[in-house]
Amino acid sequence: MAQNMPQVNAEFGAAPVIEFAEDQAPAGLKVQELVEGDGPMVRRGDTVTVNYHGVVWGNDKPFDSSFDRHQPASFGIGVGQVIKGWDQTVPGHNVGSRLVVSIPPEYGYGAQGVPQAGIGGGDTLVFVIDIISTR
């Protein structure tokens, strides 16, 4: 169990439920594999399809959730198409894995944040990521 990480239900495909036991986010970029998939490993440069649920540390309302939309997302990983925190944590995990990732601002949206999404410049983000496929 990674220190200070939130509790998340460990059922691949289930709508994420995130519970914060700590007020303070852990320092740095952290990833915890809740479910280890047995599919192919995601590699930098792959196109990955995922379901994800993103919240600001300590909040229970998501700023974005493909689970809520019932529509997975696909994008290149490790090639700068998504925030740095994703590019550095998703590769190396297998299809079928559920991850919880804590992303500090320098690996997320930086000092500017994304005000229209409710993300401040100093906010740590938490994503639950289910890796559906890679190619």
Side-chain angles (χ1 to χ4, degrees):
M1 181 63 104
Q3 196 172 10
N4 287 10
M5 290 293 277
Q7 293 291 313
V8 177
N9 54 322
E11 184 183 343
F12 185 90
V17 176
I18 302 172
E19 295 177 13
F20 293 92
E22 302 283 333
D23 292 336
Q24 198 67 28
L29 181 64
K30 303 282 188 233
V31 62
Q32 181 181 5
E33 190 173 68
L34 300 174
V35 174
E36 183 179 358
D38 58 6
M41 183 183 289
V42 176
R43 302 188 188 288
R44 293 187 189 285
D46 283 0
T47 297
V48 66
T49 300
V50 300
N51 260 322
Y52 65 90
H53 185 81
V55 299
V56 171
W57 184 275
N59 291 357
D60 55 5
K61 183 173 172 10
F63 58 80
D64 191 11
S65 177
S66 68
F67 283 96
D68 290 352
R69 287 191 302 277
H70 304 288
Q71 186 167 0
S74 297
F75 41 79
I77 196 71
V79 294
Q81 288 187 10
V82 290
I83 60 174
K84 201 181 305 182
W86 279 57
D87 275 348
Q88 293 190 16
T89 59
V90 174
H93 293 279
N94 296 340
V95 169
S97 295
R98 171 167 275 200
L99 312 176
V100 59
V101 185
S102 175
I103 301 177
E106 62 271 24
Y107 291 95
Y109 295 104
Q112 74 279 4
V114 183
Q116 65 270 30
I119 301 169
D123 286 344
T124 293
L125 308 178
V126 175
F127 283 95
V128 177
I129 303 168
D130 283 0
I131 304 172
I132 298 170
S133 68
T134 191
R135 57 180 169 81

